Amino acid sequence: MLRHALGLIRGDTTAAASALLNTRGYAAGSLGVSLGMDAPEAALLVRMPERTWGASSELTGANVRAVAGDLEPKRVAVLRDAFGSFDEPVRPLHEVIKSLGFGHVAVASKITEHHARIVVDEYERNPQGVYKLKSASADLLSFLHNKGSRVALMPNLSAEHPITPLTAIRKGVKQSSNEILMVAPTAFGFNEQAAQDNSFMHKASKPGEGSELTRQVLKEYAGLHHQLTEVAGVKVTLYEHDLAHGTPDACFPNNWFSTHPVGEASGGTTQSTLVFYPMKHPNRQAERRQDMIGVLKGRGYNNIVDMSVHESDNKFLEGTGSLVIDRVNGVAYVALSERADERLAQEWVQKLGYKELVTFRSTDLRGKGVYHTNVMMGIGTGVAIVCAESVQDLKERNRLLCALKKTHEVVEVSLAQIDALCGNVLEVEDGKGLPAMAMSTQAYNAFTEEQRKVIRRNVNSIVHAPIDTLERVGGGGVRCTLAELF
């Protein structure tokens, strides 16, 4: 039995392995979860039989055998409920963490809440068989990140839905990135060209010297940058633009390029890929600056797909504005519009190795066609946000919802809520390697409390900043300002 259990720790994910490893990671009967394939050397996460009230200077071999059986792990990490009242029962280990093999784990998303945090005391065995304290009171999620473990946040460890967080771990794919590219709105102003088919925009002054609009937008944008970098721990490559560039909407870079790692789309993307997109309006086509293109190409992508050539045919597909993509499962969602050509979307799916394309028509509160898909929906690792109400055709609506619910927990928002840009959200990877949902404060306040709870139980945090002026004049929210770098 012990040999069989150790074999399962090394990554066997058969049904038998799943049953044995369900909550333990060592042999059946053990109370620990292993953080590595080599069980004797890996850290073993445990709950002690009796609640501990802080770290000890050492643990005896007998203490460890009580939770590890006959095994003698090199390191033991004791989990504690730091903010649990003395008279509350300790949460069993299987309700907190579950091994996924290869040192990766599923963790109950409940512990991301401040009052439910768990801390870890790590001990290391010395030659005399005594476990000496190595570190104390580390946050569990930070501890896992520092050990190199990938974490799937799950609302319920006893259920396998939403399935995508588990699929992402098992297939080595990520929905979100810790690196993004942003362009500060240093020459921002009302874009008359884009306003022709973007009903979310409100007329204001054009960009120019001494513009109070530009200065106000920059103050808001700097706050967003701070929240992402200093609070969420996201790495940002930041550019600026000049009036001479003639690009008033340059702060929305996700429309002209996207990046894709090997293995994306459930293995369908076979090369690291950089894509350039055809943009509808001339002053948005000008956002493809050679200095930025040079830096992107310098990241070493093996495959460059230039779809911008379709501009000469008046066919457009505006990046991850038009394409809302499930990077893990390989599904692309596209609201067809003047900025999202169906044939180009099909070409994109074929070139990127995606499995499925879901197309539909979407209209806003004013009965106008939604200009970009990412205004009415967004997809994270475990949660998807969508305004199904905006899809008038019932067959299209049902197909959209069925595709999302197959893999994600779904939050449905109203037409009024997409006017507040609740659909314009993006999951990023925070400094702990965990999903964080980025949105504007306007969007955050427009979600109901129950909707926020659903989002929150699928991410480590919700990051938001007020960018009201940019949203009102530019017609785009936080997601539009972020271009992921994979």
Side-chain angles (χ1 to χ4, degrees):
M1 171 62 81
L2 180 56
R3 185 182 296 118
H4 181 52
L6 291 174
L8 296 177
I9 291 170
R10 292 184 173 92
D12 186 344
T13 54
T14 62
S18 178
L20 186 60
L21 273 174
N22 184 38
T23 60
R24 296 173 169 84
Y26 273 70
S30 165
L31 300 178
V33 170
S34 171
L35 289 187
M37 292 182 289
D38 186 355
E41 291 297 317
L44 177 66
L45 272 62
V46 300
R47 286 285 206 189
M48 301 306 288
E50 299 292 333
R51 181 172 180 179
T52 57
W53 305 101
S56 303
S57 61
E58 63 183 41
L59 297 175
T60 66
N63 294 145
V64 174
R65 284 193 294 275
V67 292
D70 294 333
L71 299 175
E72 293 185 348
K74 175 80 171 176
R75 298 175 185 84
V76 169
V78 178
L79 275 59
R80 292 189 282 120
D81 288 329
F83 305 108
S85 174
F86 76 95
D87 55 350
E88 290 178 339
V90 173
R91 288 169 286 179
L93 195 66
H94 69 268
E95 293 182 7
V96 174
I97 191 166
K98 170 182 175 179
S99 174
L100 298 177
F102 292 95
H104 305 312
V105 294
V107 171
S109 56
K110 178 72 175 176
I111 73 164
T112 65
E113 298 175 17
H114 299 316
H115 67 277
R117 292 279 181 174
I118 287 179
V119 296
V120 178
D121 306 318
E122 186 178 20
Y123 301 82
E124 186 171 347
R125 190 180 73 240
N126 67 14
Q128 290 73 43
V130 176
Y131 289 81
K132 291 290 188 178
L133 182 66
K134 184 180 178 183
S135 64
S137 307
D139 172 74
L140 173 59
L141 294 170
S142 297
F143 179 85
L144 294 169
H145 180 63
N146 292 336
K147 292 294 183 183
S149 292
R150 279 194 65 187
V151 173
L153 286 181
M154 297 290 292
N156 184 351
L157 293 186
S158 64
E160 291 215 346
H161 191 80
I163 196 170
T164 302
L166 300 177
T167 304
I169 296 289
R170 289 165 179 161
K171 296 197 173 184
V173 187
K174 290 187 176 182
Q175 175 66 24
S176 51
S177 176
N178 183 246
E179 292 188 67
I180 58 177
L181 183 145
M182 300 176 71
V183 181
T186 46
F188 174 82
F190 181 73
N191 186 348
E192 289 186 337
Q193 293 181 23
Q196 295 170 20
D197 60 348
N198 180 346
S199 68
F200 291 80
M201 296 174 66
H202 295 79
K203 193 170 179 63
S205 61
K206 297 179 184 179
E209 292 185 10
S211 169
E212 288 303 317
L213 172 65
T214 302
R215 286 163 172 71
Q216 177 59 33
V217 167
L218 279 166
K219 286 180 183 178
E220 297 173 356
Y221 191 91
L224 172 63
H225 181 269
H226 173 83
Q227 287 294 312
L228 290 166
T229 56
E230 302 303 317
V231 178
V234 176
K235 300 172 186 174
V236 174
T237 297
L238 184 65
Y239 282 87
E240 301 86 40
H241 64 125
D242 185 49
L243 198 62
H245 287 119
T247 54
D249 276 346
C251 61
F252 302 135
N254 74 304
N255 298 144
W256 65 264
F257 82 92
S258 66
T259 61
H260 308 267
V262 174
E264 186 173 288
S266 199
T269 305
T270 57
Q271 300 181 78
S272 59
T273 301
L274 169 63
V275 186
F276 298 117
Y277 293 94
M279 307 280 282
K280 180 182 176 184
H281 300 292
N283 65 11
R284 299 228 54 202
Q285 295 168 9
E287 293 172 20
R288 293 191 299 265
R289 286 166 31 189
Q290 289 305 309
D291 57 338
M292 298 171 71
I293 289 173
V295 170
L296 289 169
K297 288 182 175 179
R299 291 174 62 88
Y301 296 100
N302 295 322
N303 182 34
I304 296 178
V305 177
D306 188 358
M307 300 183 72
S308 66
V309 296
H310 292 289
E311 287 170 355
S312 61
D313 302 323
N314 288 318
K315 301 292 184 184
F316 311 108
L317 186 70
E318 297 194 336
T320 51
S322 299
L323 294 149
V324 171
I325 53 179
D326 179 349
R327 294 178 182 265
V328 176
N329 298 297
V331 184
Y333 297 85
V334 177
L336 301 175
S337 70
E338 293 180 17
R339 304 195 196 188
D341 181 83
E342 186 167 13
R343 288 187 179 180
L344 293 190
Q346 291 168 347
E347 178 184 331
W348 185 93
V349 164
Q350 185 272 324
K351 288 185 174 180
L352 272 293
Y354 269 58
K355 315 299 182 189
E356 185 180 0
L357 173 65
V358 178
T359 62
F360 48 89
R361 298 275 178 180
S362 173
T363 54
D364 64 20
L365 195 60
R366 293 159 292 283
K368 303 284 188 180
V370 169
Y371 74 103
H372 276 161
T373 315
N374 72 3
V375 172
M376 52 77 65
M377 68 177 292
I379 294 178
T381 304
V383 65
I385 298 160
V386 65
C387 182
E389 180 186 357
S390 73
V391 181
Q392 301 298 314
D393 186 289
L394 292 182
K395 287 184 179 179
E396 290 183 345
R397 183 188 297 182
N398 289 336
R399 186 188 175 204
L400 170 61
L401 286 173
C402 285
L404 289 171
K405 289 179 178 179
K406 215 184 298 181
T407 52
H408 290 76
E409 190 167 11
V410 174
V411 174
E412 289 195 50
V413 295
S414 68
L415 289 170
Q417 285 177 305
I418 68 166
D419 246 26
L421 294 166
C422 287
N424 200 239
V425 302
L426 180 69
E427 183 186 281
V428 295
E429 183 183 280
D430 69 14
K432 296 179 182 178
L434 297 170
M437 194 65 79
M439 63 182 68
S440 69
T441 299
Q442 177 187 212
Y444 180 85
N445 291 335
F447 281 111
T448 67
E449 183 178 352
E450 184 56 37
Q451 288 170 333
R452 283 196 295 267
K453 283 181 181 177
V454 176
I455 297 169
R456 187 64 182 80
R457 67 177 176 238
N458 285 281
V459 297
N460 187 38
S461 63
I462 296 176
V463 182
H464 62 93
I467 56 167
D468 298 33
T469 311
L470 179 61
E471 289 176 314
R472 185 179 70 255
V473 178
V478 165
R479 195 279 169 262
C480 295
T481 68
L482 310 177
E484 304 106 297
L485 295 175
F486 283 91

